[in-house]
Amino acid sequence: MVDAEHPDCAVIVFAKAPFPGFAKTRLAPALGGDGAARLAQQLLARAVLAAAGAGVGPVELCCAPDSLHPSFAALAERYGIELTLQGDGDLGARMNRAFERVLARAPMALLIGTDAPALDAVYLEEAAAALHETDAVVGPALDGGYALIGLKRAAPGLFDAMPWSTPDVLDETRRRLRQLSLHHTELAPLADIDEPADLIHLPTGWAIE
């Protein structure tokens, strides 16, 4: 179990600045550019709330393309979290760089995006507890990807040349974990909000117009 008095599992929240035309662009046909950006901002706030509320370790908000959006600054101030930059490269390169940086100072780390509104503090607590017992933890997404991944050591081969944004990501990740001799635990699958059809998975009462 997670030791509440000595939290040692860092949480990295990967997020795009919620600008129209930059975040959640695949939702624009249903919500328009401004509506997609507003939803991205809601998802961002929910993810940071979950990360801070879990209390499993230090939280950082890893931003793209930079950390200048007012939402990033407001969340950092509200929750006392660090803002960092994703930097250059494809998603895999940026994720690997974040893990290498954080695992240089923390014994384990979880990385999440902002796409899965059901990923709450309890889910992160379960992930951290699982990571105490195994080499890696994965929170599968219903679309064939994943909403969370956790590691105890950096594993560059896990992310290189991954077919991101395809239904093959989760299966390929499982294969690579085996290839790297990393024993892993999987949590309950969650829904990502990426396409208009995914909007049915939004929490009740969310304003998306």
Side-chain angles (χ1 to χ4, degrees):
M1 296 297 292
V2 177
D3 183 347
E5 295 184 0
H6 303 285
D8 58 0
C9 185
V11 182
I12 308 162
V13 182
F14 253 43
K16 288 183 175 182
F19 287 119
F22 183 67
K24 287 291 159 206
T25 55
R26 284 182 284 173
L27 293 176
L31 304 179
D34 289 344
R38 286 194 296 271
L39 179 56
Q41 189 158 349
Q42 287 181 276
L43 290 166
L44 167 63
R46 190 178 182 93
V48 174
L49 172 63
V56 297
V59 177
E60 70 168 60
L61 180 53
C62 197
C63 310
D66 52 45
S67 59
L68 300 179
H69 193 280
S71 293
F72 292 150
L75 289 166
E77 181 177 1
R78 180 174 183 179
Y79 295 105
I81 61 177
E82 181 183 6
L83 295 180
T84 59
L85 301 180
Q86 293 181 26
D88 297 328
D90 73 356
L91 178 59
R94 288 179 276 132
M95 289 172 63
N96 180 61
R97 190 162 51 239
F99 270 118
E100 287 184 337
R101 173 170 42 77
V102 171
L103 289 172
R105 62 177 188 259
M108 59 190 73
L110 302 172
L111 188 150
I112 65 173
T114 63
D115 295 340
L119 198 165
D120 58 10
V122 172
Y123 196 87
L124 285 165
E125 290 168 10
E126 292 173 356
L131 198 52
H132 276 81
E133 307 297 330
T134 191
D135 300 320
V137 61
V138 176
L142 295 177
D143 62 5
Y146 53 79
L148 171 152
I149 189 161
L151 297 170
K152 286 180 174 172
R153 62 176 173 85
L158 192 56
F159 306 114
D160 290 348
M162 180 67 73
W164 301 111
S165 300
T166 73
D168 302 321
V169 170
L170 181 58
D171 284 342
E172 178 63 14
T173 298
R174 290 169 175 149
R175 186 189 70 78
R176 294 188 188 190
L177 287 166
R178 292 192 297 268
Q179 187 177 50
L180 294 166
S181 299
L182 293 173
H183 301 287
H184 81 285
T185 296
E186 293 190 13
L187 307 179
L190 301 175
D192 272 349
I193 310 299
D194 288 321
E195 306 282 351
D198 300 328
L199 293 172
I200 61 170
H201 298 295
L202 284 176
T204 302
W206 272 37
I208 58 173
E209 299 300 329

